[in-house]
Amino acid sequence: MPTTAKTNAGNFFEDFTVGQVIEHATPRTVTEGDRALYGALYPTRFALPSSAEFAASVGLRGAPVEELIAFHVGFGKTVPDVSLNAVANLGYAECRFREPVVAGDTLSTTSEVIGLKENSNGRTGVVYVRSTAKNQRDEVAVEWCRWVMVHKRDSSAPAPEPVVPDLAKVVAVDDLVVPEGLDFTSYDFTAAGEPHRFDDYAVGEKIDHVDGVTLSDAEHMMATRLWQNTAKVHFNTQARPDGNRLIYGGHIISMARALSFNGLANAQLIAAINAGAHTAPAFAGDTVYAWSEVLDKAETSAPGVGALRLRLVATRGRDESMTLRGEDGKYAEGVLLDLDYWAFVPR
Amino acid sequence: MPTTAKTNAGNFFEDFTVGQVIEHATPRTVTEGDRALYGALYPTRFALPSSAEFAASVGLRGAPVEELIAFHVGFGKTVPDVSLNAVANLGYAECRFREPVVAGDTLSTTSEVIGLKENSNGRTGVVYVRSTAKNQRDEVAVEWCRWVMVHKRDSSAPAPEPVVPDLAKVVAVDDLVVPEGLDFTSYDFTAAGEPHRFDDYAVGEKIDHVDGVTLSDAEHMMATRLWQNTAKVHFNTQARPDGNRLIYGGHIISMARALSFNGLANAQLIAAINAGAHTAPAFAGDTVYAWSEVLDKAETSAPGVGALRLRLVATRGRDESMTLRGEDGKYAEGVLLDLDYWAFVPR
Amino acid sequence: MPTTAKTNAGNFFEDFTVGQVIEHATPRTVTEGDRALYGALYPTRFALPSSAEFAASVGLRGAPVEELIAFHVGFGKTVPDVSLNAVANLGYAECRFREPVVAGDTLSTTSEVIGLKENSNGRTGVVYVRSTAKNQRDEVAVEWCRWVMVHKRDSSAPAPEPVVPDLAKVVAVDDLVVPEGLDFTSYDFTAAGEPHRFDDYAVGEKIDHVDGVTLSDAEHMMATRLWQNTAKVHFNTQARPDGNRLIYGGHIISMARALSFNGLANAQLIAAINAGAHTAPAFAGDTVYAWSEVLDKAETSAPGVGALRLRLVATRGRDESMTLRGEDGKYAEGVLLDLDYWAFVPR
């Protein structure tokens, strides 16, 4: 009898072709349980996803959950098909949050292969995909590109014609999607927790978010399972020589975003992720801190709504000097995440 | 003043009589929070409980939660009355899942004592109970038999007339309850995650589910509490000489079931549990894997719905040989669970 | 560029003035996810918050969550403004639970400074606040006083005129708020889990709740985050010289309350907290037990509803002698919590 033929071995580099569309299993309904678990796993306090009343007060229908819930759910779906045999998650680009997700929405995710480039070693290659998570009304909740280094099944397989997509370095301000109805003209700064508005932030300004959280295995495993992310290294001490469970990079993104409340409490909504790099692995016992840098500012056409382009950096241990790179141009020791994103803030 | 007279010391062997009916405290309402926690604690991805849209597409009203949530809630209720003084949980039989449970349903559980047999040592006896968890409309959600070895309070108490119930080795196909409306004729295999249908599985076939999860104390305690299971050994390092917290057997069932997605993604609904044995204790740090064997196949009268009888085996560490028993007939080293169940799959 | 000017450094002793009113960020909507997580983190089994059907059977609208959820959410809100620079949480008084909280309610919290007293060392002072958490209909869900010892920013700052509020030692029976509609005349003792009613409890009686739970870091961090409590010492191993994460005192309150089910299953609702002291720190690995003492009894005007005044004591390790204080009058070794509260029970 065949014994493992029915299990998913994941795709290898030579299984991908440019233009290929993958419909990922399995659709997933987001619930108030997800919101509560998100709040238990990350120290988030942003008023908009925390309070249905606050969300209504800024013109939103329903009570959207954190944007990153949509991102993690969508991302998790792509893992069995795209990155089960990945060596590394290399980068993100052109990620836009469009229709807010409320409890009861069911997300389904598809990916299109938009680039392929075999590495010179002949054993791995880079796969570029554009993924889209839609709700049950076929509206796009979130879309993003990422590229991953994937093993070849057979190093002697011929290399495909290299196709490297031309991805935007930054999502253009005009491409940001303001949720329907969003209006910050009567924004309650007291309820939100900080007085700082659009005009109070200057390009180049850095903010040390001060607080730190020590990571635990139970928590990162629960988070990663919640998004139905199946990458073995996050759950299985036998999957790595060192016996450690590697923490899902998205766990660090959410932890850093939550820590950034302290100083960026009014960066209520993530509008886009321009770029992101997981620069070092994180493990249970590490204490994560975060700092931010204001990279750009822009107005939007929505009433009272401005956009800040922010660099969010997570570090192992606090770095009050907020150093991104050393003199050698490499990421400084302890930097775990370098995330470039747009957020909507009150003007 | 009396000091402990108000606490529940649990029942001892001589407290049970055949025919006795026990109404267990406390009723419990199942919510979307339970679904989310189940998904955080187990790597489940079955499309039906994951997606309200998928559930509707196969004809179900509401969005049922995993069947095992009903089982664990019902089981947990019986612990304070049936197994607080148990030496061992010996077996399960005739477990049937009937009315699907949706968020908002309140489950109440009763047990009838259907057998009693004192052991020859005079210090313990076996108690057989048939338990039933009903919803607020008095519909049976799940029913099952189990038998446990329970301490006698007083070894000199006279032995009761032995009564050993005649329990079915396997739930007959005609006794399986297909949820009202279930129709797999338009089943979406892509959304479900695997193409394998009823005809693709052969009796005798074994499937190595490949993935492993390392257990943690925080997670199994949270799971066990969620079902209001009060057995001390799961929570208290002072309750066992080795200082370990014994993991609730149901945690291993749910973990193995979730791992079986990889190869059995279309075994969407558990219809019945024919038999089950927890063959070795599990502790935090153990890495659990699972394999399955197809024991039988049957058609049902519901449109497009077949039934697979499956053996689900959980192991400590991966056993690619999928060996259930050694040459001595005993369970092989590392086997944690041997569960025999029926699942509904698309034909 | 300024780098930390936007983060909240918390208030120091000289930042408070008597009469000052602080509106705390951020409002928070309570959901069924919170109820489920509460049940995963604490071994609670009280029938009223466990079962929507039971709640309806005793006349309540909706299905209230545990009272302590409202308390923790409200308390958590006050931390960034009141106790971020606290040395110690000294006490509670005059805490009353008023409008029950159901899923969907949004709680907003304000505090009034009602007392200030600088310590003779000139480096710290005691701040007394009365806090109120209201729902979206402006109804008070819970109100309480607490006093904390807070660092001065500058020890040379002049001491304020000392004001020490006159707080009630015990909430008067006439001030207890019975939830609208509560009627225990058809109370189902079987569903609730114990037969003991008002008349079965005698003043002076002590109850050893028998069960113990070993604490874990992941669990207390999740609980504390759930309430958006930001005190660093709970999350960060670098925040204390010993590298331990101090467990939020409210975690011990909820653990002890849940353990008290065994003997006080019918103490369904917490009506008031008269006083409370966290008498020793708790850490992961500690095994928490609880015992109670009946301090007083009172009738209420609601049908079938009596009130018990209870002392709830949490201990590290089990103390079958139930000793609160040693011969020196100090709390006995191992006592973690001494909580004096009123609960509603069936007569």
Side-chain angles (χ1 to χ4, degrees):
Chain A
M1 287 281 172
T3 60
T4 59
K6 287 195 169 62
T7 55
N8 174 31
N11 289 312
F12 290 86
F13 182 69
E14 54 272 54
D15 298 324
F16 296 96
T17 53
V18 173
Q20 177 185 6
V21 173
I22 305 170
E23 294 182 44
H24 303 295
T26 60
R28 185 180 180 292
T29 305
V30 173
T31 74
E32 290 297 347
D34 296 309
R35 190 199 306 270
L37 269 160
Y38 196 89
L41 293 163
Y42 307 108
T44 182
R45 291 186 285 151
F46 295 100
L48 200 158
S50 172
S51 164
E53 301 292 318
F54 192 94
S57 78
V58 295
L60 298 184
R61 289 170 312 188
V65 298
E66 302 254 347
E67 295 77 35
L68 290 173
I69 288 181
F71 179 76
H72 293 316
V73 166
F75 184 98
K77 296 303 161 205
T78 69
V79 168
D81 299 315
V82 173
S83 52
L84 206 61
N85 300 306
V87 186
N89 197 26
L90 298 174
Y92 306 102
E94 298 187 6
C95 172
R96 293 193 300 163
F97 295 90
R98 295 171 61 171
E99 189 67 19
V101 174
V102 300
D105 279 355
T106 299
L107 299 179
S108 300
T109 307
T110 58
S111 294
E112 181 183 353
V113 179
I114 57 170
L116 286 174
K117 185 169 185 302
E118 184 165 309
N119 287 324
S120 55
N121 62 21
R123 293 194 306 273
T124 56
V126 179
V127 180
Y128 298 78
V129 292
R130 182 182 301 277
S131 302
T132 307
K134 292 182 178 179
N135 66 21
Q136 69 280 8
R137 292 180 304 276
D138 218 37
E139 298 162 334
V140 175
V142 54
E143 60 187 4
W144 69 98
C145 296
R146 70 166 171 139
W147 51 106
V148 291
M149 192 188 304
V150 177
H151 282 292
K152 290 179 72 175
R153 182 184 289 106
D154 172 6
S155 61
S156 69
E161 184 72 19
V163 175
V164 176
D166 185 24
L167 299 173
K169 290 267 180 290
V170 178
V171 175
V173 174
D174 288 349
D175 290 337
L176 300 179
V177 180
V178 181
E180 193 181 328
L182 189 70
D183 180 344
F184 279 166
T185 51
S186 302
Y187 189 93
D188 183 341
F189 288 87
T190 301
E194 291 183 351
H196 323 304
R197 57 178 75 216
F198 184 73
D199 284 343
D200 297 323
Y201 292 93
V203 173
E205 179 178 358
K206 287 182 174 181
I207 303 161
D208 176 356
H209 298 300
V210 177
D211 302 312
V213 170
T214 305
L215 304 173
S216 84
D217 274 324
E219 290 173 305
H220 77 77
M221 288 196 293
M222 289 181 69
T224 309
R225 270 191 218 104
L226 196 59
W227 321 125
Q228 301 181 325
N229 181 326
T230 59
K232 300 176 206 298
V233 288
H234 305 319
F235 302 108
N236 187 336
T237 57
Q238 303 180 348
R240 288 169 48 99
D242 65 5
N244 284 325
R245 281 164 272 195
L246 179 70
I247 292 179
Y248 162 49
H251 191 63
I252 305 301
I253 294 178
S254 279
M255 192 63 82
R257 162 72 175 157
L259 290 169
S260 77
F261 177 92
N262 200 347
L264 283 167
N266 295 318
Q268 289 285 356
L269 292 145
I270 301 181
I273 296 174
N274 300 306
H278 299 289
T279 54
F283 302 100
D286 289 347
T287 300
V288 175
Y289 290 79
W291 59 267
S292 294
E293 179 180 359
V294 181
L295 297 177
D296 201 357
K297 300 177 62 173
E299 302 187 0
T300 81
S301 59
V305 180
L308 293 182
R309 184 181 156 208
L310 297 157
R311 179 192 306 283
L312 174 61
V313 178
T315 57
R316 182 188 301 111
R318 186 172 173 192
D319 174 20
E320 295 185 59
S321 75
M322 297 184 274
T323 303
L324 185 66
R325 295 176 186 274
E327 294 186 1
D328 58 3
K330 292 182 181 168
Y331 280 108
E333 173 74 18
V335 171
L336 300 173
L337 170 76
D338 177 13
L339 191 81
D340 178 339
Y341 74 106
W342 283 106
F344 291 128
V345 299
R347 298 187 58 189
Chain B
M1 288 279 172
T3 59
T4 60
K6 287 195 169 63
T7 55
N8 173 31
N11 289 311
F12 290 87
F13 182 67
E14 54 272 55
D15 298 325
F16 295 97
T17 54
V18 172
Q20 177 185 6
V21 173
I22 305 170
E23 295 182 45
H24 304 294
T26 61
R28 184 180 181 292
T29 304
V30 173
T31 73
E32 290 297 347
D34 295 310
R35 191 199 305 271
L37 269 160
Y38 196 89
L41 293 164
Y42 308 109
T44 182
R45 288 185 286 150
F46 295 101
L48 202 156
S50 172
S51 164
E53 301 291 320
F54 192 94
S57 78
V58 295
L60 297 184
R61 289 169 312 188
V65 298
E66 303 254 347
E67 296 76 33
L68 290 173
I69 288 180
F71 179 77
H72 293 316
V73 167
F75 184 98
K77 297 301 160 208
T78 70
V79 168
D81 298 315
V82 173
S83 52
L84 206 60
N85 299 306
V87 186
N89 197 26
L90 299 173
Y92 307 102
E94 298 188 6
C95 172
R96 293 194 301 163
F97 295 89
R98 295 172 61 172
E99 188 68 18
V101 175
V102 300
D105 280 354
T106 299
L107 299 178
S108 300
T109 308
T110 58
S111 295
E112 182 181 353
V113 179
I114 57 171
L116 286 173
K117 186 171 185 301
E118 184 165 309
N119 287 325
S120 54
N121 62 20
R123 293 194 306 272
T124 56
V126 178
V127 180
Y128 297 79
V129 293
R130 183 182 301 277
S131 302
T132 307
K134 292 182 178 177
N135 66 22
Q136 69 281 8
R137 292 180 304 276
D138 218 37
E139 300 162 332
V140 175
V142 55
E143 60 186 5
W144 69 98
C145 297
R146 71 165 171 140
W147 49 108
V148 290
M149 191 186 304
V150 176
H151 282 292
K152 290 180 72 175
R153 182 184 289 107
D154 172 6
S155 61
S156 70
E161 185 72 20
V163 175
V164 176
D166 185 24
L167 299 172
K169 289 267 178 290
V170 179
V171 175
V173 175
D174 288 349
D175 290 338
L176 299 179
V177 180
V178 181
E180 194 182 329
L182 189 70
D183 180 343
F184 279 164
T185 51
S186 302
Y187 189 93
D188 183 342
F189 288 87
T190 301
E194 291 183 351
H196 322 305
R197 55 178 76 215
F198 184 73
D199 285 342
D200 297 323
Y201 292 93
V203 173
E205 178 178 358
K206 287 183 173 180
I207 303 161
D208 176 356
H209 299 300
V210 177
D211 303 312
V213 171
T214 305
L215 303 172
S216 83
D217 275 323
E219 289 174 305
H220 78 76
M221 289 196 292
M222 289 182 68
T224 308
R225 269 190 219 105
L226 196 60
W227 322 125
Q228 300 182 324
N229 181 325
T230 59
K232 300 177 206 298
V233 288
H234 305 319
F235 302 108
N236 187 337
T237 56
Q238 303 179 348
R240 287 169 49 99
D242 65 5
N244 284 325
R245 281 164 272 195
L246 179 70
I247 292 179
Y248 162 50
H251 192 63
I252 305 301
I253 295 177
S254 280
M255 192 63 82
R257 161 73 175 157
L259 289 170
S260 78
F261 176 92
N262 200 348
L264 283 168
N266 296 317
Q268 289 285 356
L269 292 145
I270 300 180
I273 295 174
N274 301 306
H278 299 290
T279 55
F283 301 101
D286 289 347
T287 300
V288 175
Y289 290 79
W291 57 267
S292 294
E293 179 181 359
V294 181
L295 297 177
D296 201 357
K297 300 177 60 173
E299 302 187 0
T300 81
S301 59
V305 180
L308 293 181
R309 185 181 156 209
L310 297 158
R311 179 193 304 285
L312 174 62
V313 178
T315 57
R316 183 188 300 111
R318 187 173 173 190
D319 173 21
E320 294 185 61
S321 75
M322 296 185 275
T323 303
L324 185 67
R325 294 176 185 274
E327 294 185 1
D328 58 3
K330 292 183 181 166
Y331 281 108
E333 172 74 16
V335 171
L336 299 173
L337 170 76
D338 177 13
L339 191 81
D340 178 340
Y341 73 105
W342 282 108
F344 291 129
V345 300
R347 298 189 57 191
Chain C
M1 286 277 172
T3 60
T4 59
K6 287 195 169 62
T7 56
N8 174 30
N11 289 312
F12 290 87
F13 181 69
E14 54 271 56
D15 298 324
F16 295 98
T17 53
V18 173
Q20 177 185 7
V21 173
I22 305 170
E23 295 182 44
H24 304 294
T26 60
R28 184 180 180 291
T29 304
V30 173
T31 74
E32 290 296 347
D34 296 310
R35 189 198 307 270
L37 270 160
Y38 196 89
L41 293 164
Y42 307 109
T44 182
R45 289 185 286 149
F46 295 99
L48 202 157
S50 172
S51 165
E53 301 291 319
F54 192 94
S57 78
V58 295
L60 297 184
R61 288 170 312 188
V65 298
E66 303 255 346
E67 294 76 33
L68 290 173
I69 288 181
F71 179 77
H72 294 316
V73 167
F75 184 98
K77 296 302 161 207
T78 69
V79 168
D81 298 315
V82 174
S83 52
L84 205 62
N85 299 306
V87 186
N89 197 26
L90 298 174
Y92 306 103
E94 298 188 5
C95 171
R96 292 194 301 163
F97 295 90
R98 296 172 61 171
E99 189 68 19
V101 174
V102 300
D105 279 354
T106 299
L107 299 179
S108 299
T109 307
T110 58
S111 295
E112 182 182 354
V113 179
I114 58 171
L116 287 174
K117 185 171 185 301
E118 184 165 309
N119 287 325
S120 56
N121 62 21
R123 294 194 305 272
T124 56
V126 179
V127 180
Y128 297 79
V129 292
R130 183 183 300 276
S131 303
T132 307
K134 292 183 178 177
N135 66 21
Q136 69 281 8
R137 293 180 303 277
D138 219 36
E139 300 162 332
V140 175
V142 54
E143 61 187 4
W144 69 99
C145 296
R146 70 165 171 140
W147 50 105
V148 291
M149 191 187 303
V150 177
H151 283 292
K152 290 179 71 175
R153 183 184 288 108
D154 172 6
S155 60
S156 69
E161 184 73 19
V163 175
V164 175
D166 185 24
L167 299 172
K169 289 268 180 289
V170 178
V171 175
V173 175
D174 288 349
D175 290 338
L176 300 179
V177 180
V178 181
E180 194 182 327
L182 189 70
D183 180 344
F184 279 165
T185 51
S186 302
Y187 188 92
D188 184 342
F189 288 87
T190 301
E194 290 184 352
H196 323 304
R197 56 178 76 216
F198 183 73
D199 285 342
D200 297 324
Y201 291 93
V203 173
E205 178 179 357
K206 288 182 173 180
I207 303 161
D208 176 356
H209 299 299
V210 178
D211 302 311
V213 170
T214 305
L215 304 172
S216 84
D217 275 323
E219 290 174 305
H220 78 76
M221 288 195 294
M222 288 182 70
T224 308
R225 269 190 219 105
L226 197 59
W227 321 125
Q228 301 182 324
N229 181 327
T230 58
K232 300 177 206 298
V233 287
H234 305 318
F235 303 108
N236 188 336
T237 57
Q238 303 180 347
R240 288 170 48 99
D242 66 4
N244 284 325
R245 281 164 271 194
L246 180 70
I247 292 180
Y248 162 49
H251 192 63
I252 305 301
I253 294 179
S254 280
M255 192 62 82
R257 162 72 175 159
L259 289 169
S260 77
F261 176 92
N262 200 347
L264 283 167
N266 296 318
Q268 290 285 356
L269 292 145
I270 301 180
I273 294 174
N274 302 305
H278 299 289
T279 55
F283 302 100
D286 289 348
T287 300
V288 175
Y289 290 79
W291 59 267
S292 293
E293 179 181 359
V294 181
L295 298 177
D296 201 357
K297 299 176 62 173
E299 302 187 0
T300 81
S301 60
V305 180
L308 293 181
R309 185 182 155 208
L310 297 157
R311 180 193 304 284
L312 174 62
V313 178
T315 58
R316 182 188 301 111
R318 186 173 173 191
D319 174 20
E320 295 186 60
S321 74
M322 296 185 274
T323 303
L324 185 67
R325 294 176 186 275
E327 294 185 2
D328 58 2
K330 293 183 181 166
Y331 281 109
E333 172 73 18
V335 171
L336 299 173
L337 170 75
D338 177 13
L339 191 81
D340 177 340
Y341 73 105
W342 283 107
F344 291 128
V345 299
R347 298 187 59 189

